[in-house]
Amino acid sequence: LLLLQVWVSCLWMGHSEVVTSFASCPQFFYHNAPPNNALQPQNPAWICQRYNNQYFYATLYDRNRRIPIYSAYIYQPGTAPRPQAWLVEPQLLGQSYPKDMEKESTLIDQYHVKLEDLKQSQAVRDDYKKLTGLTHGHLNPSGHHSTYSSRFTTFTLTNVVPQDEKLNNGAWSRYEVGTMSKKSKGCKTTYVVVGAVPGNTYIAGGRVNVPSHIWSSACCETNTTMKAWGVIAENKKNVVTPLTLGELEAELTKLYGKGQVSLFHRDCPR
């Protein structure tokens, strides 16, 4: 029995962080229940976002469009410094590469990865240079985390989409900073799923999709009841529309066009 336990443990330790489900990091979803398959792109990657041998959040990544479809995390705002460096996901290259997110330069210099191979697997820093009217739009924002390490992990290009600059610095920022703080008062744990609806335009010579909409949803339990809410914004307008969770799921059902969208466990009020 002991030998069997050791063997199973070794298999687990060797388990890839880019897999076919969120089995390695279910804790970022309320009742361990991720959104249903109505959001799943044609060529998906399930990423348990890991740094320094620790999980920080979960991301469903669209390999073809080179953007995240959503990132899921627990809302824990703090005052740690804002990081500057950008990271990538080595496991999108293959399971033989590090499980922890890394800098492009580290993969190229220490692991002898070719930049062209890295570009085939995901978005890279060059894709976001010389943007006009667009900027790095975090789905999981650094400001929703309390430690430097947890903030640092949000600066990976698997958590970023090309977002309208005015929206990102305007109404969306006000939602992330102000509205989230007010809405989550009284919550024991606030579970958040933030996503992007793929659009019809691209940057970087057709490499990286520009989403048509950005959306956010949350579910939490208070001492007396459950709370849930959502918002959505067109990625060309500086306007954030508040919705109930049910209204947001209905809107996303129309926008994604792949069946009824469910973002949270059924216990979250619609």
Side-chain angles (χ1 to χ4, degrees):
L1 179 60
L2 178 61
L3 287 175
L4 178 60
Q5 288 174 334
V6 172
W7 178 72
V8 170
S9 176
C10 289
L11 283 179
W12 176 256
M13 290 300 290
H15 199 51
S16 168
E17 307 313 304
V18 176
V19 288
T20 56
S21 74
F22 291 119
S24 298
C25 54
Q27 66 268 31
F28 301 111
F29 304 97
Y30 180 65
H31 280 342
N32 299 337
N36 68 349
N37 291 338
L39 300 180
Q40 188 172 311
Q42 184 178 11
N43 189 9
W46 290 261
I47 305 174
C48 290
Q49 301 278 16
R50 176 172 141 162
Y51 181 69
N52 283 344
N53 202 31
Q54 181 181 347
Y55 298 124
F56 287 92
Y57 60 103
T59 299
L60 179 64
Y61 191 72
D62 188 333
R63 293 175 182 265
N64 291 347
R65 296 183 177 96
R66 297 184 179 88
I67 59 169
I69 295 299
Y70 65 75
S71 285
Y73 61 95
I74 295 174
Y75 177 67
Q76 296 174 308
T79 58
R82 179 181 172 88
Q84 298 299 324
W86 286 101
L87 305 169
V88 292
E89 177 51 63
Q91 289 268 307
L92 288 174
L93 284 159
Q95 295 185 15
S96 62
Y97 292 97
K99 295 179 182 179
D100 287 3
M101 52 185 76
E102 291 279 2
K103 295 180 182 179
E104 287 181 29
S105 58
T106 301
L107 288 178
I108 293 170
D109 296 339
Q110 296 185 19
Y111 293 91
H112 310 294
V113 171
K114 295 180 180 178
L115 180 58
E116 285 305 311
D117 291 338
L118 183 60
K119 291 175 70 173
Q120 286 300 313
S121 70
Q122 60 200 280
V124 297
R125 290 181 63 190
D126 282 348
D127 293 327
Y128 283 84
K129 290 182 177 178
K130 300 179 181 179
L131 294 180
T132 302
L134 297 168
T135 187
H136 298 76
H138 290 70
L139 295 191
N140 177 2
S142 66
H144 286 187
H145 298 270
S146 59
T147 68
Y148 182 81
S149 290
S150 58
R151 288 190 169 202
F152 189 50
T153 64
T154 68
F155 281 77
T156 170
L157 294 177
T158 55
N159 178 51
V160 164
V161 298
Q163 187 173 8
D164 182 85
E165 190 170 23
K166 291 181 179 179
L167 172 63
N168 194 24
N169 296 327
W172 195 258
S173 177
R174 290 191 291 274
Y175 170 75
E176 289 180 336
V177 175
T179 308
M180 273 295 296
S181 177
K182 294 176 183 177
K183 286 277 193 180
S184 61
K185 282 186 177 179
C187 292
K188 297 177 182 178
T189 304
T190 302
Y191 295 86
V192 185
V193 181
V194 184
V197 181
N200 296 319
T201 60
Y202 287 77
I203 61 170
R207 282 181 40 79
V208 179
N209 185 264
V210 179
S212 64
H213 296 74
I214 312 293
W215 53 268
S216 180
S217 60
C219 177
C220 75
E221 187 175 13
T222 70
N223 288 326
T224 57
T225 187
M226 296 290 301
K227 292 199 303 184
W229 63 90
V231 296
I232 194 167
E234 289 188 51
N235 198 20
K236 59 182 179 180
K237 296 181 180 179
N238 187 20
V239 178
V240 171
T241 302
L243 301 169
T244 65
L245 177 58
E247 289 170 340
L248 176 60
E249 289 176 333
E251 183 65 18
L252 296 181
T253 297
K254 292 187 291 184
L255 291 170
Y256 284 93
K258 296 181 179 180
Q260 178 65 46
V261 169
S262 176
L263 297 176
F264 287 100
H265 187 275
R266 62 180 179 274
D267 286 354
C268 295
R270 265 59 185 180

